[in-house]
mmCIF file of all heavy atoms in Angstrom:
data_model
loop_
_atom_site.group_PDB
_atom_site.id
_atom_site.type_symbol
_atom_site.label_atom_id
_atom_site.label_comp_id
_atom_site.label_asym_id
_atom_site.label_seq_id
_atom_site.Cartn_x
_atom_site.Cartn_y
_atom_site.Cartn_z
ATOM 1 N N MET O 1 -13.260 -42.760 -25.706
ATOM 2 C CA MET O 1 -13.724 -43.103 -26.937
ATOM 3 C C MET O 1 -13.503 -42.024 -28.109
ATOM 4 O O MET O 1 -13.151 -42.333 -29.223
ATOM 5 C CB MET O 1 -15.198 -43.466 -27.057
ATOM 6 C CG MET O 1 -15.795 -44.032 -28.204
ATOM 7 S SD MET O 1 -17.444 -44.638 -28.142
ATOM 8 C CE MET O 1 -18.283 -43.107 -28.162
ATOM 9 N N VAL O 2 -13.462 -40.845 -27.679
ATOM 10 C CA VAL O 2 -13.227 -39.756 -28.481
ATOM 11 C C VAL O 2 -11.815 -39.768 -29.044
ATOM 12 O O VAL O 2 -11.541 -39.682 -30.249
ATOM 13 C CB VAL O 2 -13.423 -38.314 -27.798
ATOM 14 C CG1 VAL O 2 -12.926 -37.173 -28.744
ATOM 15 C CG2 VAL O 2 -14.875 -38.159 -27.447
ATOM 16 N N CYS O 3 -11.025 -40.222 -28.136
ATOM 17 C CA CYS O 3 -9.541 -40.349 -28.594
ATOM 18 C C CYS O 3 -9.404 -41.586 -29.483
ATOM 19 O O CYS O 3 -8.725 -41.542 -30.562
ATOM 20 C CB CYS O 3 -8.664 -40.512 -27.463
ATOM 21 S SG CYS O 3 -6.914 -40.811 -27.782
ATOM 22 N N ALA O 4 -10.058 -42.735 -29.187
ATOM 23 C CA ALA O 4 -9.984 -43.886 -29.930
ATOM 24 C C ALA O 4 -10.549 -43.715 -31.328
ATOM 25 O O ALA O 4 -9.898 -44.256 -32.377
ATOM 26 C CB ALA O 4 -10.737 -45.043 -29.170
ATOM 27 N N LEU O 5 -11.479 -42.857 -31.586
ATOM 28 C CA LEU O 5 -12.104 -42.574 -32.848
ATOM 29 C C LEU O 5 -11.325 -41.454 -33.625
ATOM 30 O O LEU O 5 -11.670 -41.221 -34.770
ATOM 31 C CB LEU O 5 -13.551 -42.090 -32.673
ATOM 32 C CG LEU O 5 -14.497 -43.273 -32.128
ATOM 33 C CD1 LEU O 5 -15.844 -42.594 -31.841
ATOM 34 C CD2 LEU O 5 -14.630 -44.279 -33.154
ATOM 35 N N THR O 6 -10.317 -40.852 -32.976
ATOM 36 C CA THR O 6 -9.559 -39.682 -33.514
ATOM 37 C C THR O 6 -8.184 -40.031 -33.919
ATOM 38 O O THR O 6 -7.748 -39.657 -34.903
ATOM 39 C CB THR O 6 -9.624 -38.638 -32.505
ATOM 40 O OG1 THR O 6 -10.907 -38.163 -32.126
ATOM 41 C CG2 THR O 6 -8.797 -37.316 -33.048
ATOM 42 N N GLU O 7 -7.402 -40.944 -33.068
ATOM 43 C CA GLU O 7 -5.900 -40.994 -33.159
ATOM 44 C C GLU O 7 -5.470 -41.463 -34.557
ATOM 45 O O GLU O 7 -4.299 -41.174 -34.828
ATOM 46 C CB GLU O 7 -5.513 -41.849 -32.023
ATOM 47 C CG GLU O 7 -6.029 -43.258 -31.981
ATOM 48 C CD GLU O 7 -5.578 -44.042 -30.782
ATOM 49 O OE1 GLU O 7 -4.658 -43.540 -30.095
ATOM 50 O OE2 GLU O 7 -6.263 -44.998 -30.499
ATOM 51 N N ASN O 8 -6.279 -42.160 -35.339
ATOM 52 C CA ASN O 8 -5.714 -42.712 -36.553
ATOM 53 C C ASN O 8 -6.391 -41.859 -37.824
ATOM 54 O O ASN O 8 -6.234 -42.338 -39.082
ATOM 55 C CB ASN O 8 -6.077 -44.112 -36.771
ATOM 56 C CG ASN O 8 -5.146 -45.003 -35.724
ATOM 57 O OD1 ASN O 8 -4.027 -44.729 -35.607
ATOM 58 N ND2 ASN O 8 -5.887 -45.910 -35.061
ATOM 59 N N LYS O 9 -7.184 -40.818 -37.609
ATOM 60 C CA LYS O 9 -7.661 -40.101 -38.552
ATOM 61 C C LYS O 9 -6.678 -39.207 -39.217
ATOM 62 O O LYS O 9 -5.669 -38.675 -38.589
ATOM 63 C CB LYS O 9 -8.795 -39.323 -38.101
ATOM 64 C CG LYS O 9 -10.076 -40.158 -37.604
ATOM 65 C CD LYS O 9 -10.678 -40.904 -38.796
ATOM 66 C CE LYS O 9 -11.811 -41.805 -38.382
ATOM 67 N NZ LYS O 9 -13.052 -41.108 -37.909
ATOM 68 N N LYS O 10 -6.833 -38.895 -40.619
ATOM 69 C CA LYS O 10 -5.879 -38.137 -41.215
ATOM 70 C C LYS O 10 -5.846 -36.610 -40.706
ATOM 71 O O LYS O 10 -4.720 -36.101 -40.594
ATOM 72 C CB LYS O 10 -6.295 -37.930 -42.800
ATOM 73 C CG LYS O 10 -6.155 -39.249 -43.571
ATOM 74 C CD LYS O 10 -6.618 -38.900 -44.882
ATOM 75 C CE LYS O 10 -6.438 -40.217 -45.821
ATOM 76 N NZ LYS O 10 -6.801 -40.074 -47.195
ATOM 77 N N ALA O 11 -6.848 -36.124 -40.285
ATOM 78 C CA ALA O 11 -6.805 -34.750 -39.766
ATOM 79 C C ALA O 11 -5.975 -34.657 -38.492
ATOM 80 O O ALA O 11 -5.380 -33.704 -38.194
ATOM 81 C CB ALA O 11 -8.307 -34.294 -39.489
ATOM 82 N N PHE O 12 -6.183 -35.776 -37.657
ATOM 83 C CA PHE O 12 -5.369 -35.797 -36.438
ATOM 84 C C PHE O 12 -3.834 -36.014 -36.647
ATOM 85 O O PHE O 12 -3.082 -35.356 -36.195
ATOM 86 C CB PHE O 12 -5.892 -36.954 -35.513
ATOM 87 C CG PHE O 12 -5.156 -37.031 -34.210
ATOM 88 C CD1 PHE O 12 -5.226 -36.054 -33.188
ATOM 89 C CD2 PHE O 12 -4.228 -38.023 -34.110
ATOM 90 C CE1 PHE O 12 -4.578 -36.171 -31.972
ATOM 91 C CE2 PHE O 12 -3.482 -38.188 -32.829
ATOM 92 C CZ PHE O 12 -3.714 -37.293 -31.778
ATOM 93 N N LEU O 13 -3.540 -36.884 -37.588
ATOM 94 C CA LEU O 13 -2.174 -37.166 -38.022
ATOM 95 C C LEU O 13 -1.449 -35.966 -38.582
ATOM 96 O O LEU O 13 -0.173 -35.937 -38.596
ATOM 97 C CB LEU O 13 -2.158 -38.351 -38.892
ATOM 98 C CG LEU O 13 -2.540 -39.649 -38.263
ATOM 99 C CD1 LEU O 13 -2.707 -40.870 -39.268
ATOM 100 C CD2 LEU O 13 -1.783 -40.083 -37.047
ATOM 101 N N ALA O 14 -2.276 -35.124 -39.168
ATOM 102 C CA ALA O 14 -1.778 -33.855 -39.759
ATOM 103 C C ALA O 14 -1.413 -32.781 -38.765
ATOM 104 O O ALA O 14 -0.702 -31.775 -39.188
ATOM 105 C CB ALA O 14 -2.788 -33.296 -40.838
ATOM 106 N N LEU O 15 -1.773 -32.945 -37.531
ATOM 107 C CA LEU O 15 -1.445 -32.004 -36.501
ATOM 108 C C LEU O 15 0.028 -32.151 -36.237
ATOM 109 O O LEU O 15 0.598 -33.098 -36.390
ATOM 110 C CB LEU O 15 -2.301 -32.272 -35.245
ATOM 111 C CG LEU O 15 -3.820 -32.115 -35.341
ATOM 112 C CD1 LEU O 15 -4.465 -32.540 -34.018
ATOM 113 C CD2 LEU O 15 -4.140 -30.692 -35.727
ATOM 114 N N GLY O 16 0.570 -31.061 -35.494
ATOM 115 C CA GLY O 16 1.909 -31.154 -35.088
ATOM 116 C C GLY O 16 2.145 -32.250 -33.963
ATOM 117 O O GLY O 16 1.212 -32.534 -33.362
ATOM 118 N N ALA O 17 3.402 -32.619 -33.884
ATOM 119 C CA ALA O 17 3.687 -33.723 -32.975
ATOM 120 C C ALA O 17 3.298 -33.333 -31.493
ATOM 121 O O ALA O 17 2.901 -34.183 -30.698
ATOM 122 C CB ALA O 17 5.201 -34.055 -33.089
ATOM 123 N N GLU O 18 3.698 -32.048 -31.138
ATOM 124 C CA GLU O 18 3.410 -31.677 -29.823
ATOM 125 C C GLU O 18 1.825 -31.762 -29.505
ATOM 126 O O GLU O 18 1.428 -32.138 -28.335
ATOM 127 C CB GLU O 18 3.781 -30.265 -29.659
ATOM 128 C CG GLU O 18 3.687 -29.804 -28.189
ATOM 129 C CD GLU O 18 4.480 -28.454 -27.913
ATOM 130 O OE1 GLU O 18 5.350 -28.119 -28.728
ATOM 131 O OE2 GLU O 18 4.008 -27.837 -26.879
ATOM 132 N N GLU O 19 0.991 -31.352 -30.437
ATOM 133 C CA GLU O 19 -0.476 -31.412 -30.178
ATOM 134 C C GLU O 19 -0.930 -32.775 -29.992
ATOM 135 O O GLU O 19 -1.755 -33.147 -29.193
ATOM 136 C CB GLU O 19 -1.181 -30.679 -31.200
ATOM 137 C CG GLU O 19 -1.295 -29.083 -31.070
ATOM 138 C CD GLU O 19 -2.112 -28.560 -32.083
ATOM 139 O OE1 GLU O 19 -2.095 -28.844 -33.336
ATOM 140 O OE2 GLU O 19 -3.124 -27.672 -31.763
ATOM 141 N N ARG O 20 -0.382 -33.744 -30.931
ATOM 142 C CA ARG O 20 -0.872 -35.103 -30.958
ATOM 143 C C ARG O 20 -0.351 -35.672 -29.643
ATOM 144 O O ARG O 20 -1.198 -36.536 -28.939
ATOM 145 C CB ARG O 20 -0.178 -35.836 -32.061
ATOM 146 C CG ARG O 20 -0.687 -35.468 -33.451
ATOM 147 C CD ARG O 20 -0.329 -36.535 -34.539
ATOM 148 N NE ARG O 20 1.008 -36.975 -34.471
ATOM 149 C CZ ARG O 20 1.961 -36.366 -35.298
ATOM 150 N NH1 ARG O 20 1.739 -35.307 -35.988
ATOM 151 N NH2 ARG O 20 3.259 -36.855 -35.123
ATOM 152 N N GLU O 21 0.799 -35.410 -29.102
ATOM 153 C CA GLU O 21 1.305 -36.013 -27.902
ATOM 154 C C GLU O 21 0.527 -35.521 -26.769
ATOM 155 O O GLU O 21 0.148 -36.355 -25.950
ATOM 156 C CB GLU O 21 2.759 -35.682 -27.722
ATOM 157 C CG GLU O 21 3.338 -36.306 -26.548
ATOM 158 C CD GLU O 21 4.915 -36.008 -26.237
ATOM 159 O OE1 GLU O 21 5.432 -35.212 -27.156
ATOM 160 O OE2 GLU O 21 5.397 -36.439 -25.244
ATOM 161 N N SER O 22 0.058 -34.241 -26.624
ATOM 162 C CA SER O 22 -0.687 -33.630 -25.690
ATOM 163 C C SER O 22 -2.128 -34.311 -25.610
ATOM 164 O O SER O 22 -2.664 -34.655 -24.490
ATOM 165 C CB SER O 22 -0.791 -32.194 -25.816
ATOM 166 O OG SER O 22 0.423 -31.556 -25.637
ATOM 167 N N PHE O 23 -2.592 -34.616 -26.767
ATOM 168 C CA PHE O 23 -4.061 -35.190 -26.897
ATOM 169 C C PHE O 23 -3.936 -36.543 -26.312
ATOM 170 O O PHE O 23 -4.781 -37.010 -25.527
ATOM 171 C CB PHE O 23 -4.366 -35.119 -28.404
ATOM 172 C CG PHE O 23 -5.802 -35.709 -28.608
ATOM 173 C CD1 PHE O 23 -6.804 -34.782 -28.698
ATOM 174 C CD2 PHE O 23 -6.031 -37.091 -28.847
ATOM 175 C CE1 PHE O 23 -8.061 -35.319 -28.942
ATOM 176 C CE2 PHE O 23 -7.289 -37.468 -29.126
ATOM 177 C CZ PHE O 23 -8.284 -36.592 -29.147
ATOM 178 N N LEU O 24 -2.948 -37.291 -26.766
ATOM 179 C CA LEU O 24 -2.832 -38.689 -26.379
ATOM 180 C C LEU O 24 -2.529 -38.827 -24.823
ATOM 181 O O LEU O 24 -2.958 -39.657 -24.102
ATOM 182 C CB LEU O 24 -1.716 -39.470 -27.084
ATOM 183 C CG LEU O 24 -2.135 -39.645 -28.602
ATOM 184 C CD1 LEU O 24 -0.816 -40.117 -29.393
ATOM 185 C CD2 LEU O 24 -3.261 -40.469 -28.920
ATOM 186 N N ASN O 25 -1.723 -37.794 -24.352
ATOM 187 C CA ASN O 25 -1.355 -37.921 -22.954
ATOM 188 C C ASN O 25 -2.660 -37.614 -22.127
ATOM 189 O O ASN O 25 -2.865 -38.109 -20.975
ATOM 190 C CB ASN O 25 -0.327 -36.835 -22.563
ATOM 191 C CG ASN O 25 1.088 -37.356 -22.945
ATOM 192 O OD1 ASN O 25 1.334 -38.427 -23.251
ATOM 193 N ND2 ASN O 25 1.966 -36.310 -23.142
ATOM 194 N N ALA O 26 -3.461 -36.677 -22.593
ATOM 195 C CA ALA O 26 -4.688 -36.328 -21.940
ATOM 196 C C ALA O 26 -5.633 -37.536 -21.852
ATOM 197 O O ALA O 26 -6.304 -37.793 -20.760
ATOM 198 C CB ALA O 26 -5.448 -35.132 -22.547
ATOM 199 N N ASN O 27 -5.627 -38.179 -22.941
ATOM 200 C CA ASN O 27 -6.462 -39.451 -23.041
ATOM 201 C C ASN O 27 -6.000 -40.537 -21.881
ATOM 202 O O ASN O 27 -6.859 -41.100 -21.188
ATOM 203 C CB ASN O 27 -6.596 -40.065 -24.308
ATOM 204 C CG ASN O 27 -7.324 -41.360 -24.416
ATOM 205 O OD1 ASN O 27 -8.530 -41.290 -24.250
ATOM 206 N ND2 ASN O 27 -6.590 -42.465 -24.774
ATOM 207 N N GLU O 28 -4.762 -40.593 -21.913
ATOM 208 C CA GLU O 28 -4.186 -41.662 -20.796
ATOM 209 C C GLU O 28 -4.451 -41.198 -19.486
ATOM 210 O O GLU O 28 -4.808 -42.007 -18.619
ATOM 211 C CB GLU O 28 -2.598 -41.727 -21.133
ATOM 212 C CG GLU O 28 -1.990 -42.837 -20.318
ATOM 213 C CD GLU O 28 -0.364 -42.964 -20.742
ATOM 214 O OE1 GLU O 28 -0.200 -42.805 -21.971
ATOM 215 O OE2 GLU O 28 0.319 -43.206 -19.957
ATOM 216 N N GLU O 29 -4.395 -39.976 -19.218
ATOM 217 C CA GLU O 29 -4.651 -39.465 -17.794
ATOM 218 C C GLU O 29 -6.164 -39.637 -17.435
ATOM 219 O O GLU O 29 -6.430 -40.028 -16.400
ATOM 220 C CB GLU O 29 -4.235 -37.978 -17.757
ATOM 221 C CG GLU O 29 -2.731 -37.723 -17.677
ATOM 222 C CD GLU O 29 -2.280 -36.398 -18.012
ATOM 223 O OE1 GLU O 29 -3.146 -35.534 -18.324
ATOM 224 O OE2 GLU O 29 -1.105 -36.070 -17.899
ATOM 225 N N ILE O 30 -6.991 -39.407 -18.518
ATOM 226 C CA ILE O 30 -8.431 -39.680 -18.165
ATOM 227 C C ILE O 30 -8.666 -41.097 -17.957
ATOM 228 O O ILE O 30 -9.561 -41.450 -17.105
ATOM 229 C CB ILE O 30 -9.244 -39.168 -19.460
ATOM 230 C CG1 ILE O 30 -9.255 -37.671 -19.551
ATOM 231 C CG2 ILE O 30 -10.759 -39.736 -19.395
ATOM 232 C CD1 ILE O 30 -9.868 -37.009 -20.863
ATOM 233 N N SER O 31 -7.955 -41.951 -18.621
ATOM 234 C CA SER O 31 -8.163 -43.409 -18.450
ATOM 235 C C SER O 31 -7.744 -43.739 -16.860
ATOM 236 O O SER O 31 -8.551 -44.562 -16.232
ATOM 237 C CB SER O 31 -7.237 -44.240 -19.254
ATOM 238 O OG SER O 31 -7.611 -44.201 -20.668
ATOM 239 N N LYS O 32 -6.673 -43.202 -16.442
ATOM 240 C CA LYS O 32 -6.252 -43.439 -15.000
ATOM 241 C C LYS O 32 -7.296 -42.896 -13.957
ATOM 242 O O LYS O 32 -7.687 -43.637 -13.105
ATOM 243 C CB LYS O 32 -4.868 -42.711 -14.764
ATOM 244 C CG LYS O 32 -3.764 -43.373 -15.461
ATOM 245 C CD LYS O 32 -2.516 -42.725 -15.231
ATOM 246 C CE LYS O 32 -1.277 -43.271 -16.040
ATOM 247 N NZ LYS O 32 0.010 -42.557 -15.908
ATOM 248 N N PHE O 33 -7.830 -41.713 -14.232
ATOM 249 C CA PHE O 33 -8.832 -41.204 -13.307
ATOM 250 C C PHE O 33 -10.122 -42.014 -13.424
ATOM 251 O O PHE O 33 -10.796 -42.220 -12.450
ATOM 252 C CB PHE O 33 -9.111 -39.714 -13.605
ATOM 253 C CG PHE O 33 -7.986 -38.794 -13.244
ATOM 254 C CD1 PHE O 33 -7.296 -38.163 -14.213
ATOM 255 C CD2 PHE O 33 -7.605 -38.712 -11.857
ATOM 256 C CE1 PHE O 33 -6.165 -37.363 -13.688
ATOM 257 C CE2 PHE O 33 -6.567 -37.763 -11.461
ATOM 258 C CZ PHE O 33 -5.890 -37.077 -12.404
ATOM 259 N N GLY O 34 -10.518 -42.376 -14.639
ATOM 260 C CA GLY O 34 -11.631 -43.179 -14.861
ATOM 261 C C GLY O 34 -11.629 -44.609 -14.118
ATOM 262 O O GLY O 34 -12.583 -45.080 -13.509
ATOM 263 N N GLU O 35 -10.470 -45.192 -14.123
ATOM 264 C CA GLU O 35 -10.301 -46.369 -13.327
ATOM 265 C C GLU O 35 -10.419 -46.176 -11.798
ATOM 266 O O GLU O 35 -11.119 -46.951 -11.174
ATOM 267 C CB GLU O 35 -8.843 -46.925 -13.555
ATOM 268 C CG GLU O 35 -8.687 -47.547 -14.961
ATOM 269 C CD GLU O 35 -7.227 -47.946 -15.330
ATOM 270 O OE1 GLU O 35 -6.420 -47.856 -14.442
ATOM 271 O OE2 GLU O 35 -6.936 -48.213 -16.445
#
């Protein structure tokens, strides 16, 4: 949920591409472990 509430915010979109990708990848991995 933290990711869902973050990914479209201006502050997040202003981050570098690498940081954004790492953040989203971490969220995806958490989803897999959660399942």
Side-chain angles (χ1 to χ4, degrees):
M1 188 172 76
V2 174
C3 181
L5 293 170
T6 300
E7 59 186 346
N8 293 316
K9 295 293 178 71
K10 289 181 180 179
F12 179 74
L13 296 174
L15 296 173
E18 187 174 337
E19 276 188 312
R20 293 199 309 272
E21 184 178 0
S22 295
F23 185 91
L24 296 173
N25 285 342
N27 179 62
E28 191 174 317
E29 289 163 354
I30 287 173
S31 293
K32 291 177 182 177
F33 288 114
E35 289 172 6

